[in-house]
Amino acid sequence: MELTNERAIEIEPGLRRMILIEIIFPMVLLILGIYHGLMQALYRSGFIHSREFLGLEYFQGLTLHGVVNAIVFTTFFAVAFGYAVIRYHLGRPLNMKVAWLSFALMVIGTLLAAAAILSGQATVLYTFYPPLRAHPSFYLGLALVVIGSWIAFFSWLPPYFAWKRDHPGEKIPLAVVGIFATFIVWVIATIPVAIEIIFMLIPWSMGWVPTINVPLARMLFWFFGHPLVYFWLLPAYVMYYTMLPKLAGGKLYSDFAGRLTFLWLVLYSAPVGIHHQFTEPGISDTWKFVHAFFTMLVAVPSFVTAFTMAASMEYGARQNGGHGLLGWWSKLPYLDKDRWLFSYLFAGLVIFIFGGITGIVNASYNLNNVVHNTTWLPAHFHQTVAGPVFLSFIGMSLFLVAKLTGKRIKLPTWNVWVPYLWTLGIMIFSSGGFVSGAGGEPRRTNLGLTYGNPQSPLYQPEWAMSGIFTGVGGIIMTIAALMFFIVFFGTLFGKPVRQGALELIVSEPYHDERVPAVQSFTPWLIGAALLLVIAYAPPITQTIRSHFPGAPPYSPHRPVPLSVGPGP
Ligand code: HAS
């Protein structure tokens, strides 16, 4: 019997279809994204030598991998999960016309961006830094994905205010606070990148202006890029705070910790982007220091989460009969097929210990000089976005599909092992990146053509071993992903065993504190606006005034000569 311990609610068939399609569409694209991830790993490890993966060149495949996995899959999932949380916790029907408009824009946007990448006209990686230039349809496509997701978010405001009107003085459900925090961070993040796209990239890409201010474009990108990572993390935190404690058999240790974490991330997610630019000229040390300082503050809610989750799991394990200082660890439902979602969430937490610590390393100004632009970085972000974020997103996708369609999970034993196998793969994959990154191996480099190629004067044999780790880890991750896809699509196409309904897991709080400071978004929004002005107005002004020479476009499709070597 699966864990069906909550109130299941019947929802409008239109919304049910919408959530399902919003999960299934990006899941199909994810197959392509993961395939290109595997090809990157195999190529960088030297296991394969072809630069053409399914007809895509190295950087083209890397662009597809990053855009599909990190932008498309995550945004669609966040919107689908948002619908489920809002409908479930606020109990009000949603405006389906607006929902379909949002979905249509997101799909059209995805197809436009995909067409540009697949036709080789947008080989710009997921960071789309100029002077790499994409076809305008790529930028337009991304903008449509963003606008579509905004529309979905704005459609949740009327039911939210109606709920508040009908429940005066009541606490807003914790999951709703988390989803609103997610999308507030998203709106904050996407305004600067919209400015970059509309006023800089599209005119330059259309040829209306010959050059572009690269430092300004990069600063606007990272103004978006760091809150983006918390837009990914926050839905995972919603699952951690509201579901993991109950799955562990207990209660959420502190409701206040959850609210504080969500609101703290609204406050500090954005004024930190320059920590991606510590090595860039043209930004003064003062602003680098300010962003480094705020970065340390944005890590605080993750420490709060670590302690709250440990305490909640300990409580649950003791309810399950666990004893002793450490003996309770054995009583968690690691392989429980009824509470299988626990394994997805727990494995993500374990990976995040390492992803988090390496984030602190990145944020430390001096250490950043060692690791910046090396393979350390992909190792770090695979332990964050491909750790807790990916595992919780795919786990919740499967959970929602099974509940909404009334199907039984197929291959339950495989299912419960998927996250642990993925964890093994990620740990091996990342170990290679950390070791060689600390030794200086560059990221974003067509390694097979340069440092990994014995024929190249830049050949670096000492990075070969870590390359093998990357390849082996990548293979294990792909096996885990394949197992997941078989379970997911097997469940989807299986026979229904009950009436489909919307059902979420809701943990009761152990400490149900009432702290006024976390009952309203307003003070946190004002604080966030102030911090943004402090952190960004001066460096942006500085960058605009600096009169950097503009850059003409560049394409990585130009052949790179093998004889590259030190300059004269
Ligand atoms: Fe990061 C670069 C700093 C978190 C993603 N980051 C990246 C990039 C990505 C990314 C994609 O300061 C690369 C972008 C690019 O392409 O260039 N990052 C941080 C810091 C944190 C952090 C300080 N990053 C994330 C998260 C991401 C993410 C989350 C995605 C979701 N990151 C940086 C910096 C750079 C950077 C620099 C730029 C570097 C450069 O030079 O380019 C913090 O938020 C991390 C705080 C996390 C913790 C961990 C808490 C642990 C928990 C688990 C508890 C476990 C339990 C289970 C209870 C403090 C919650 C116990 C079980 C047992 C068995 C013991």
Side-chain angles (χ1 to χ4, degrees):
M1 193 197 67
E2 279 157 35
L3 183 80
T4 50
N5 49 6
E6 293 302 329
R7 185 176 55 98
I9 57 169
E10 255 188 59
I11 58 169
E12 307 67 38
L15 180 63
R16 188 175 149 274
R17 263 197 305 276
M18 161 69 60
I19 298 176
L20 284 172
I21 191 168
E22 206 123 25
I23 288 175
I24 297 163
F25 174 74
M27 197 62 83
V28 174
L29 291 180
L30 193 64
I31 298 175
L32 202 58
I34 285 185
Y35 166 78
H36 279 284
L38 173 69
M39 289 300 124
Q40 299 294 327
L42 295 183
Y43 181 66
R44 286 192 74 101
S45 62
F47 291 173
I48 58 170
H49 299 288
S50 165
R51 293 176 65 202
E52 297 256 324
F53 315 131
L54 273 188
L56 301 193
E57 179 273 340
Y58 175 80
F59 288 112
Q60 212 180 347
L62 187 52
T63 306
L64 191 77
H65 173 63
V67 170
V68 167
N69 294 11
I71 298 182
V72 174
F73 171 68
T74 51
T75 311
F76 273 86
F77 173 81
V79 171
F81 186 49
Y83 281 125
V85 166
I86 298 294
R87 178 67 185 84
Y88 188 80
H89 287 278
L90 300 183
R92 286 178 161 69
L94 295 162
N95 185 329
M96 289 316 296
K97 284 200 182 115
V98 177
W100 284 110
L101 172 69
S102 140
F103 177 70
L105 290 179
M106 289 174 70
V107 171
I108 294 169
T110 303
L111 296 178
L112 278 177
I117 298 172
L118 293 171
S119 61
Q121 298 182 73
T123 304
V124 290
L125 307 184
Y126 86 100
T127 40
F128 48 90
Y129 288 160
L132 295 175
R133 183 173 69 174
H135 189 273
S137 63
F138 174 79
Y139 304 120
L140 184 67
L142 292 187
L144 288 180
V145 172
V146 168
I147 294 168
S149 63
W150 278 9
I151 291 177
F153 170 50
F154 294 140
S155 77
W156 303 335
L157 293 174
Y160 170 75
F161 288 117
W163 184 93
K164 280 193 62 153
R165 234 185 0 258
D166 295 348
H167 298 78
E170 266 184 49
K171 278 186 176 179
I172 305 162
L174 183 58
V176 175
V177 177
I179 286 298
F180 270 77
T182 307
F183 279 83
I184 291 169
V185 166
W186 183 232
V187 171
I188 294 176
T190 42
I191 290 172
V193 81
I195 295 173
E196 182 199 357
I197 288 180
I198 295 167
F199 296 106
M200 299 179 74
L201 293 173
I202 291 185
W204 175 68
S205 164
M206 298 290 286
W208 298 336
V209 290
T211 58
I212 193 162
N213 181 338
V214 171
L216 180 61
R218 285 168 72 110
M219 190 173 287
L220 290 172
F221 179 83
W222 286 118
F223 194 157
F224 155 76
H226 204 80
L228 170 70
V229 313
Y230 295 106
F231 169 70
W232 297 333
L233 187 66
L234 271 159
Y237 274 8
V238 171
M239 292 175 233
Y240 285 145
Y241 278 97
T242 65
M243 301 182 189
L244 183 75
K246 179 141 194 168
L247 288 165
K251 296 183 177 180
L252 169 61
Y253 185 71
S254 163
D255 176 81
F256 167 66
R259 286 169 204 270
L260 181 70
T261 294
F262 298 148
L263 293 168
W264 192 291
L265 287 174
V266 168
L267 191 62
Y268 285 112
S269 281
V272 298
I274 290 179
H275 71 217
H276 292 265
Q277 299 182 286
F278 284 156
T279 54
E280 288 219 4
I283 305 172
S284 79
D285 284 350
T286 312
W287 298 108
K288 290 179 180 171
F289 174 78
V290 168
H291 282 240
F293 178 72
F294 287 149
T295 305
M296 294 304 163
L297 292 179
V298 82
V300 171
S302 292
F303 283 112
V304 171
T305 305
F307 290 114
T308 313
M309 288 307 114
S312 306
M313 287 192 294
E314 178 177 352
Y315 178 77
R318 291 194 189 280
Q319 298 303 302
N320 301 338
H323 303 286
L325 186 62
L326 296 174
W328 58 269
W329 281 104
S330 65
K331 292 290 179 187
L332 287 170
Y334 302 108
L335 293 174
D336 186 332
K337 288 181 215 148
D338 295 337
R339 298 171 189 222
W340 58 268
L341 190 57
F342 178 86
S343 61
Y344 282 79
L345 298 183
F346 178 76
L349 273 183
V350 174
I351 300 173
F352 196 38
I353 297 174
F354 303 93
I357 292 168
T358 51
I360 310 285
V361 170
N362 301 344
S364 312
Y365 203 95
N366 294 359
L367 291 176
N368 183 273
N369 279 320
V370 177
V371 300
H372 180 66
N373 262 345
T374 69
T375 53
W376 175 283
L377 259 292
H380 158 68
F381 69 68
H382 279 84
Q383 289 189 337
T384 51
V385 66
V389 172
F390 179 74
L391 285 176
S392 61
F393 283 24
I394 59 168
M396 183 45 59
S397 298
L398 178 61
F399 183 88
L400 283 173
V401 162
K403 296 293 176 195
L404 287 168
T405 56
K407 312 267 173 86
R408 207 189 291 283
I409 301 289
K410 278 274 153 47
L411 300 169
T413 308
W414 276 30
N415 181 35
V416 90
W417 276 102
V418 162
Y420 300 120
L421 192 59
W422 180 266
T423 305
L424 178 71
I426 280 275
M427 297 310 276
I428 296 175
F429 171 91
S430 298
S431 307
F434 285 134
V435 171
S436 58
E441 181 182 335
R443 66 184 281 208
R444 297 198 188 97
T445 303
N446 187 342
L447 197 73
L449 207 61
T450 50
Y451 310 102
N453 182 347
Q455 247 101 89
S456 161
L458 298 177
Y459 179 54
Q460 296 289 342
E462 67 270 27
W463 293 333
M465 190 59 197
S466 49
I468 291 174
F469 274 71
T470 305
V472 171
I475 292 170
I476 297 174
M477 286 158 73
T478 310
I479 294 171
L482 271 178
M483 286 168 62
F484 173 79
F485 287 130
I486 293 171
V487 173
F488 180 87
F489 288 105
T491 304
L492 179 67
F493 294 120
K495 284 203 174 72
V497 289
R498 58 177 176 270
Q499 176 80 25
L502 178 59
E503 189 177 328
L504 293 177
I505 298 163
V506 187
S507 308
E508 269 176 58
Y510 181 76
H511 291 291
D512 193 7
E513 309 92 332
R514 271 202 99 82
V515 181
V518 295
Q519 301 309 322
S520 158
F521 284 102
T522 314
W524 300 86
L525 287 172
I526 296 171
L530 281 176
L531 287 184
L532 284 178
V533 173
I534 295 170
Y536 269 111
I540 288 182
T541 316
Q542 210 173 47
T543 312
I544 293 172
R545 286 206 180 132
S546 294
H547 300 298
F548 294 103
Y554 168 79
S555 165
H557 286 298
R558 286 181 201 158
V560 182
L562 261 184
S563 57
V564 276

